[in-house]
């Protein structure tokens, strides 16, 4: 099988978790014998082993579309190209919706534009792929015709062969937030909760790893760092090895999202044994539910988040339990070769 993958985000120059997720999926498909060609806007893409990477920066399509069996779109910025490949060459179009635009973005002319683009892509797609049951259910409620041509295939992880690290001593390890500094990530909830956590736990520290997003999210981070100098550190985007190391040494990773189609940060944190506190929304319900390395917090009341965070900080035994459960949970449900096999059977073969 020959697959043409379209993505605007791909390592080593990424600005979200989507690029890393697409790369892991492409590599796993190649390992299963699929011929994968990834088209990216980057004028100088880096080689990636068995995955062929081609640039869209030139005046013409860099490949002959007739040599492929289907086109798999990941980025709405390339939706017009995907639609043209489908129309002109008859390539079946598959689309992974990494988020539902009208649920993720605040109402604005820009959000309305991208929501219309997404609706058109979903109408054209032979298979619409969602990352969680909650996302598929929301999409089918909006577009009932998707019920017969949509599947749920989560993101996956290429698990490290080394065992999870031992938990740090109770007095060590920061609390960690990682991801885009966007309103939908619950940063206002986090900021208000941390006011109480810092007041009641003098040794508590917070590290925020991430960046761009929107004005509200960036202001929340700025206000938090300004209110708690010396206890709140903003590190910006970290390379994957550094991020894994940060997670592995964390007392807990906090994911207070208002909207979360999947929950990649929670998954990556649990994979290295970090205890996770996550909002009971969207894909996080599946990732951080019972038996995982996480605990769910219902609602977005900062007092509830402060209580849950303090309880976890004060319970070394609970943190150790979550550290043991997390890697096994990820391996059983989200190991990338298994996920790629599901994609082949449930989406590509159809």
């Amino acid at each position: 099988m020959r697959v043409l993958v379209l993505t605007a985000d791909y390592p080593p120059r990424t600005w979200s978790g989507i690029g890393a997720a697409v790369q892991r999926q492409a590599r796993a498909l190649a390992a299963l014998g699929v011929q994968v060609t990834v088209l990216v806007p980057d004028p100088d893409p880096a080689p990636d082993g068995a995955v062929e990477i081609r640039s869209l920066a030139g005046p013409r399509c860099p490949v002959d579309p007739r040599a492929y069996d289907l086109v798999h779109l990941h980025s709405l910025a390339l939706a017009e190209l995907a639609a043209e490949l489908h129309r002109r060459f008859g390539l079946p179009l598959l689309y992974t919706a990494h988020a539902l635009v009208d649920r993720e973005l605040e109402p604005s002319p820009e959000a309305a534009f991208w929501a219309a683009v997404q609706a058109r892509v979903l109408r054209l797609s032979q298979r619409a792929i969602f990352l969680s049951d909650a996302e598929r259910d929301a999409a089918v409620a909006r577009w009932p015709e998707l019920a017969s041509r949509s599947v749920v295939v989560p993101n996956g992880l290429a698990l490290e062969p080394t065992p999870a690290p031992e938990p740090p001593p109770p007095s060590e390890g920061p609390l960690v937030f990682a991801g885009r500094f966007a309103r939908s990530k619950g940063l206002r909830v986090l900021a208000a909760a941390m006011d109480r956590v810092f007041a009641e736990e003098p040794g508590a520290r917070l590290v925020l790893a991430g960046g761009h997003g929107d004005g509200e999210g960036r202001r929340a981070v700025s206000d938090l760092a300004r209110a708690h100098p010396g206890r709140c550190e903003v590190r910006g985007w970290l390379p994957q090895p550094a991020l894994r190391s940060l997670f592995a040494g964390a007392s807990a990773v906090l994911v207070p999202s208002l909207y979360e189609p999947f929950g990649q940060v929670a998954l990556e944190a649990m994979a290295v044994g970090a205890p996770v506190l996550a909002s009971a929304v969207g894909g996080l319900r599946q990732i951080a539910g019972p038996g995982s390395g996480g605990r769910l917090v219902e609602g977005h009341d900062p007092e509830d988040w402060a209580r849950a965070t303090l309880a976890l900080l004060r319970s070394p035994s609970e943190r150790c339990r979550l550290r043991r459960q997390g890697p096994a949970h990820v391996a059983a449900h989200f190991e990338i070769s298994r996920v790629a096999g599901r994609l082949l059977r449930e989406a590509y073969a159809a």
Side-chain angles (χ1 to χ4, degrees):
M1 177 175 286
R2 299 156 298 177
V3 176
L4 199 55
V5 174
L6 305 186
T7 178
D9 191 1
Y10 199 84
R13 289 174 281 276
T14 60
W15 63 86
S16 74
I18 293 175
V22 174
Q23 183 185 60
R24 285 190 289 263
Q25 188 178 95
R27 289 175 171 179
L29 287 169
L32 293 176
V34 178
Q35 179 184 324
V36 181
T37 299
V38 178
L39 301 187
V40 294
D42 193 326
D44 185 27
D48 194 22
V51 178
E52 183 183 19
I53 313 295
R54 302 293 294 274
S55 173
L56 289 167
R60 301 177 62 86
C61 183
V63 298
D64 182 356
R66 293 168 297 185
Y68 295 88
D69 299 304
L70 59 89
V71 58
H72 186 169
L73 174 68
H74 287 274
S75 300
L76 290 176
L78 300 178
E80 194 61 37
L81 173 59
E84 185 68 7
L85 292 171
H86 170 64
R87 183 190 68 81
R88 185 178 299 188
F89 299 99
L91 288 177
L93 172 59
L94 286 76
Y95 168 53
T96 292
H98 290 272
L100 294 175
V101 173
D102 58 358
R103 299 185 72 198
E104 183 179 37
L105 301 181
E106 288 286 276
S108 69
E110 182 181 16
F113 170 81
W114 288 114
V117 172
Q118 185 171 61
R120 178 171 180 251
V121 169
L122 288 169
R123 286 194 298 269
L124 287 175
S125 298
Q126 275 73 16
R127 277 289 180 274
I129 302 163
F130 297 97
L131 302 181
S132 66
D133 293 335
E135 282 291 278
R136 181 182 181 274
D137 291 345
V140 170
R142 175 80 179 273
W143 299 284
E145 66 274 16
L146 289 177
S148 62
R149 51 184 177 86
S150 60
V151 296
V152 175
V153 180
N155 289 334
L157 285 182
L159 301 179
E160 298 292 327
T162 54
E166 290 297 317
S171 61
E172 295 184 11
L175 298 165
V176 171
F177 170 91
R180 290 184 299 115
F181 294 164
R183 181 198 67 86
S184 64
K185 299 301 181 183
L187 283 157
R188 281 296 175 195
V189 176
L190 178 67
M194 291 307 300
D195 287 341
R196 177 177 166 187
V197 171
F198 285 144
E200 296 195 21
E201 283 292 328
R205 297 178 295 120
L206 175 68
V207 173
L208 298 107
H212 68 262
D214 55 38
E216 182 176 333
R218 291 193 297 271
R219 284 192 297 272
V221 171
S222 177
D223 293 346
L224 183 54
R226 189 181 308 112
H228 303 284
R231 302 184 68 183
C232 178
E233 180 184 358
V234 182
R235 293 192 185 175
W237 290 108
L238 298 177
Q240 279 295 311
L243 186 61
R244 286 194 297 269
S245 179
L246 177 63
F247 286 157
S251 291
V253 174
L254 308 181
V255 191
S257 302
L258 308 181
Y259 165 72
E260 194 63 71
F262 182 60
Q264 188 72 25
V265 166
L267 190 69
E268 292 178 1
M270 283 191 286
V272 296
V276 169
L277 281 180
S279 294
V281 299
L284 289 170
R285 283 190 178 274
Q286 289 176 250
I287 289 177
S292 73
R295 294 172 62 178
L296 295 172
V297 181
E298 296 287 345
H300 296 94
D301 185 331
E303 282 298 306
D304 292 338
W305 271 87
R307 282 193 292 270
T309 303
L310 288 167
L312 194 56
L313 284 175
R314 293 165 179 171
S315 178
S317 61
E318 176 65 2
R319 296 205 308 277
C320 286
R321 183 183 71 84
L322 295 176
R323 282 183 177 277
R324 288 192 301 270
Q325 290 183 175
H329 175 72
V330 174
H333 299 284
F334 300 99
E335 194 278 322
I336 188 60
S337 63
R338 295 185 183 186
V339 172
R342 284 183 56 184
L343 184 66
L344 272 176
R345 295 189 303 272
E346 299 174 27
Y348 288 4

